[in-house]
């Protein structure tokens, strides 16, 4: 069992690194290397399409499994690069509403295409049934890990 766990850990790390490298290569090829957090840009697009779903920075951090500080840094970079603009909330000036600029909306399209191309490459040769099974396994593993993390926090 220890050898299996070790191989799972190594494969998980290698897959994460290879996926990140493939996404970065696709973004670079599309001229989107400035987009340092493509998933954040995609989430901002979703919020713009449905303003009621607009989320606080901490909520974005939870969705992306990163720290709120990482989200704040990414937003600063996206703003400097002209992908987003911020405006204080009407009800609470301490919070900012984030809007995509035209450049940001175009970047979303490019990022989503990059994700699609990488997914197609990654899943090449998998049958639809295997893809469905893989997805269910990954969801279950994520659920196990997040449940475990929640239980550990409660014990602290």
């Amino acid at each position: 069992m220890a050898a299996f766990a070790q191989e799972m850990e190594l494969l998980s790390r290698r897959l994460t690194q290879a996926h990140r490298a493939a996404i970065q290569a696709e973004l670079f090829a599309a001229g989107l290397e400035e987009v340092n957090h493509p998933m954040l840009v995609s989430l901002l697009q979703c919020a713009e399409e449905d303003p009621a779903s607009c989320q606080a920075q901490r909520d974005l951090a939870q969705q992306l499994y990163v720290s709120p500080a990482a989200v704040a840094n990414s937003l600063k970079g996206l703003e400097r690069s002209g992908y987003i603009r911020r405006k204080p909330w009407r009800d609470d000036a301490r919070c900012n509403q984030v809007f995509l600029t035209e450049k940001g909306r175009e970047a979303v399209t490019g990022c989503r295409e990059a994700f699609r191309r990488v997914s197609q490459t990654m899943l090449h040769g998998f049958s639809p049934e295997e893809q469905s099974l893989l997805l269910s396994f990954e969801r279950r593993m994520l659920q196990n890990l997040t449940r475990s993390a929640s239980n550990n926090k409660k014990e602290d």
Side-chain angles (χ1 to χ4, degrees):
M1 186 67 172
F4 175 81
Q6 185 177 8
E7 186 173 2
M8 278 293 296
E9 178 64 23
L10 290 173
L11 281 173
S12 179
R13 287 179 185 265
R14 287 189 64 204
L15 181 60
T16 298
Q17 291 168 342
H19 186 266
R20 184 175 294 130
I23 291 290
Q24 290 303 318
E26 285 289 337
L27 292 175
F28 186 81
L32 294 169
E33 61 273 2
E34 290 178 318
V35 179
N36 60 354
H37 210 307
M39 283 301 295
L40 178 58
V41 174
S42 292
L43 286 174
L44 293 173
Q45 174 71 34
C46 293
E48 195 169 269
E49 291 167 355
D50 179 14
S53 76
C54 205
Q55 298 161 330
Q57 190 170 301
R58 70 180 174 278
D59 297 327
L60 289 169
Q62 284 177 336
Q63 269 191 294
L64 295 168
Y65 294 95
V66 298
S67 70
V71 171
N73 287 335
S74 291
L75 289 174
K76 284 179 193 172
L78 290 169
E79 189 171 32
R80 264 193 313 272
S81 299
Y83 291 102
I84 65 166
R85 64 182 176 79
R86 298 190 232 196
K87 179 176 112 179
W89 281 95
R90 273 185 306 193
D91 301 334
D92 188 350
R94 295 172 297 169
C95 296
N96 286 315
Q97 215 172 357
V98 180
F99 298 95
L100 290 170
T101 62
E102 185 57 37
K103 182 179 179 181
R105 282 189 283 285
E106 290 170 8
V108 168
T109 301
C111 290
R112 288 182 178 167
E113 282 298 308
F115 293 146
R116 186 189 57 72
R117 286 189 298 273
V118 170
S119 290
Q120 281 181 328
T121 299
M122 187 169 59
L123 296 171
H124 177 76
F126 285 79
S127 70
E129 294 79 18
E130 289 171 324
Q131 290 179 27
S132 179
L133 194 56
L134 178 62
L135 191 59
S136 70
F137 287 157
E138 287 184 347
R139 283 182 180 142
R140 192 173 351 155
M141 287 187 287
L142 181 60
Q143 193 174 48
N144 289 343
L145 289 171
T146 55
R147 188 175 325 136
S148 174
S150 296
N151 290 340
N152 289 342
K153 285 181 184 177
K154 288 178 187 174
E155 292 172 5
D156 290 345

